[in-house]
Amino acid sequence: MLGAAKYIGSGIATLALAGAGIGVGIVFYALIQGTSRNPSVKNQLFQYAVLGFALAEATGLFALMVSFMILFS
């Protein structure tokens, strides 16, 4: 019974990875759209996109860490 609950909880915790993937897609969509609208600010937009990518990916990594903590504790 406890083992099944661990698997279910771990699976639910990994749903946040889908949100992280969507967030990364939105960040780079905005980069492409902003660059196509104003190519002169490409370097500044790229720096913001890298920051946004790092923050979105960090949330996914935290969710993965929580999932492993649930599964292996």
Side-chain angles (χ1 to χ4, degrees), residues 17-59:
L17 294 173
I22 292 170
V24 169
I26 289 172
V27 165
F28 285 111
Y29 164 76
L31 172 66
I32 292 170
Q33 187 177 13
T35 302
S36 65
R37 287 178 185 262
N38 191 359
S40 65
V41 294
K42 180 180 86 165
N43 292 331
Q44 185 177 8
L45 286 178
F46 183 74
Q47 291 176 351
Y48 290 149
V50 169
L51 178 63
F53 166 76
L55 293 175
E57 194 66 27
T59 59

Side-chain angles (χ1 to χ4, degrees), residues 1-14 66-73:
M1 183 75 169
L2 183 61
K6 281 185 177 184
Y7 289 130
I8 292 170
S10 178
I12 291 172
T14 57
V66 167
S67 173
F68 283 147
M69 288 175 59
I70 291 171
L71 190 60
F72 295 117
S73 66

